[in-house]
Every structure is written in C-alpha cells, then in structure tokens.
Amino acid sequence: MTDSWATFGADLHLDLSTGRGLRAGLTEALREAARSGRLAAGTRLPSSRSLAVDLGIARNTVAEAYAELVAEGWLTARQGSGTRVAERARPRRSGGVAGAGGAAAVVGVRRPARGKPSYSLQPGSPDLGGFPRAAWLTAARRALTNAPNEAFGYAVDARGRIELREALAGYLARARGVYADPERIVLCAGFVHGLTLLAGVLRARRVREVAVEGYGLDIHRDLLVKAGLRTRPLGVDGDGARTRELGAGAAGVGAGVGAVLLTPAHQFPTGVALTPARRAAAVDWARTTGGLILEDDYDGEFRYDRQPVGALQGLDPDRVVYLGTASKSLAPGLRMGWMVVPPGLVEEVLAVKGLIDWTSSALEQLTLAEFITSGAYDRHVRGMRLRYRRRRDELVAAVAGRVGVSGIAAGLHAVLDLPEGMTERSVIQSAAWQDLTLDGLSRHRHPEADLPPRAAVVVGYGTPSDSAWAPTLAALSAVLP
C-alpha cells in the first residue's frame, strides 16, 4: 500500500531559494533539511509518486532528486524499506527537530522570493515587443506636421478629435460591421474607463442590476459593484453566454436587470463565440425591455480559421453600446479606447464624462487617426494575426495528447482542459516551480454563477515576447503530464 504523505507527522517546509531549477531546488532543499536535522536520521520519506502528487511536479523529478541524494550519502534506499534519511555524523541544528519518533513530512513548499517570474502565460496582454515603433513614428511625424494649431490647445469636444472619430467610423464599419457615425463615437482611455462612464449612465437611469457572463474579468465586475450596481451571472457553455436567461422566468436573472455585458466575438475566458440564436435572444431582450447591451469587442480582429464574426452592434445599433480599444491590437500603454453609442445615449455619456476631454492626448489621437487612414493599422493587424496564429498552432502541437484545447481559433489566449486526476492548483503550483505564471479558469468565475466544475487553465500565448516564447512554451510543457 502506498504511504500517504499526510501520515508522516509534523510539517516541514522546504526553502528552495538555493536551488537552480526544479530538480536542483528540490535536491538542495532536501539536502539542507537532512543536514540541519529537520529531517532526522532514519526518517522514512514518502514514495516518489506520493511526493510528486502532493507537490504538483513530475514523478521523475522527485526520483532523480532522491537518486542524487542517495549517491551523495544523505539518503538510503533499500528494497522493502523505502527511502530514508541516512545515519550520519551529528548534524548542526538550525531549527526544531522532527516530532515524536523523528518522523517529519514535507506538505508545503515555500517558493523563493524572486520578484517577477521569468515566464508568463497570463492572459490579457499582447506581445508588447510587436508594437510597430517605426510605423507609429512615421504616423506621429505626419500627424504632428499636419496638426492644426488648435489641436495644441484645450480640447473643446468631449467626444475626442474628429479626425480619429472619422477614421474609426470607416474602419469599424469595414472591419467589424459596426454602424458608426462619427457623431456617436466617444473616445476614452480604454475599456475600463468606458465601462466606468457607462456605469455612471446606468446609475443615472436608476438601473440597479447588470447581467454579466458567468466567466469574466473580476476587475469589470468589481467596477460595476463599486458604482452601486449588482452583477447577475449568466450561464456560459459551448455556445457562449446563455442569453435566454435574461428573461424573468424561473431560469432567468430577473426583471430588475437593465443592461448586460457580453463578449460575443470571443468569450473571455472560455474562448467560444456567441451563436446567432443567442445573439438574437440578447437583442430581443433589449428591444422588449428597453435594456442595453454593452459589447466588449476586445480582440475581435484576431480570428484564425475563418473571417472574423461581425460585431453584435450591427444587429441593433440603437440597443447596443460597442466598446473597442487599441490595447490588444497595438498596446495597452496607449490608453486608447472608443465607444459607439446609441443616438439617445450620447448626451448622457458626455454628461458623465464632462465637457472637456482630459483623458487622451490630442497628438496621440491624431497619430492613431493617421495610422488607420494610411493603412498601417490594417497591415499591423494582419502581421500580428499571423504571429498569434503561429503561436496558437505551436501551443496546440506542444500539448497534443496531454490536455484538451477548447475555444475557437481566435484571440490571444486558449483554455487547456486538464485530464482527470489533475487540478488547477497542482498545475499552477508546478508552473511556479518552473518560474512560470498561469491563470486557473476558476479565477474568472463569478462567485454566484451556477456552472459545472471544470479543471482548466487559461494560457495567454500573446503575452511572451518572440525571444521568450520558446522557453515559455518549454516551461509549460514541463508542467503538463
């Protein structure tokens, strides 16, 4: 019968700060525990299988660490007796010895404090190294040369520069199927700023509840809550958000909901697209109740297996607020976003925003306008689309046969569904040993959502730079079975 690590007595935490890499760190930590007496002579260690499961690492890693310590004389291994701490000269004591009988256990591992991890696959960020510096500089020079004198003064239109609003109207109509009159576009400093403005509008309209997807970003939910709005979760499955739950029936979220926040083109984080039937159900609800749909089109340009699905706003521009940004296509540091607002909502948004546009530099707005109208934006998006598609293909190939990859071929992240017996916690812990950060799917789950349990991790393959991509993928591969 396999020994359980939980039966080995008092806890003993291992300090891995002296190790270099996963196996070396474990080897040195065990060596130091034996040297200092925290693992007393004769203590029987757990099997390599048990320790690997408890620490969330590969069994071979534990077996190799044990073998090295046996070769050095710190451990002994005998058939039928297991692996034990060897009898050695009296150790120097740097801490408390094991409890009764000298038995001790390693049930937790203290990660060395290294600051920022070497590798990251957290979702939500593009490859910042892909920012088109030369093309942006060219656009900035042209924008600066052609800028009217009044552009250097105080902004007089809270909607933002007309040059950028006109450029966006043409681009969004052509690329995303959005009905976008420049007079209905309001520029903002990104999605969070736009959502903040809309939360203020909803409060002014005496809306008290907003429906959100059962999986989504907690920062968006928290923003709504801080604005005094309750969030009500919709179920999410392979067809996207279950928008029929917007009704007030037995399975619905209730009649008090005045708006719904959706990611129709590429649901975050599950990676599915909202089906036509569910798009229609959302629009029908908005028309019937007078509610608003807030459409977060955060990475709608990046579809790899087919033409990108058009924006939901095209079905009913009078009931849908379209929100987009340059954060994924260019860089979040630009702090550039936009809303396409229904005609009756423009003045309400401006009343919340204020009469002067304090949020975005006029020169940055003019540069982005030039970048779009010159065709440089389209060229950049096409280039990044190829780059991210290649990364997604390499990710799928690297994990093939070990974990499932769910969601459509789109965007900057994918969901890896873990096989039976693996948990999010063990994978994330094992990733930390590889100096890699990962997000579990459960992190993005609404606390009130009625969703089936699902063990999965969200991999942001857009985050690493080109030079870091190969070692980051290798670190991920080392984590998976």
Side-chain angles (χ1 to χ4, degrees), residues 7-24:
T7 67
F8 278 76
D11 293 353
L12 176 63
H13 290 271
L14 297 181
D15 185 352
L16 305 185
S17 59
T18 58
R20 295 184 301 171
L22 185 57
R23 183 186 60 78

Side-chain angles (χ1 to χ4, degrees), residues 13-74:
H13 290 271
L14 297 181
D15 185 352
L16 305 185
S17 59
T18 58
R20 295 184 301 171
L22 185 57
R23 183 186 60 78
L26 177 60
T27 302
E28 177 57 26
L30 287 169
R31 183 188 295 117
E32 176 58 26
R35 179 189 293 123
S36 66
R38 288 185 294 132
L39 277 177
T43 298
R44 181 175 179 177
L45 300 182
S47 69
S48 58
R49 182 187 300 276
S50 298
L51 182 56
V53 170
D54 284 330
L55 297 183
I57 61 178
R59 182 183 180 186
N60 285 346
T61 300
V62 179
E64 290 169 2
Y66 279 5
E68 182 172 337
L69 293 172
V70 168
E72 292 177 2
W74 291 103

Side-chain angles (χ1 to χ4, degrees), residues 188-196 220 223 261 295-297 323-325 327 336-337:
C188 53
F191 179 83
V192 169
H193 181 216
L195 186 59
T196 300
H220 297 164
L223 184 156
L261 175 60
E295 179 178 12
D296 180 4
D297 195 35
L323 297 101
T325 77
S327 297
M336 197 75 71

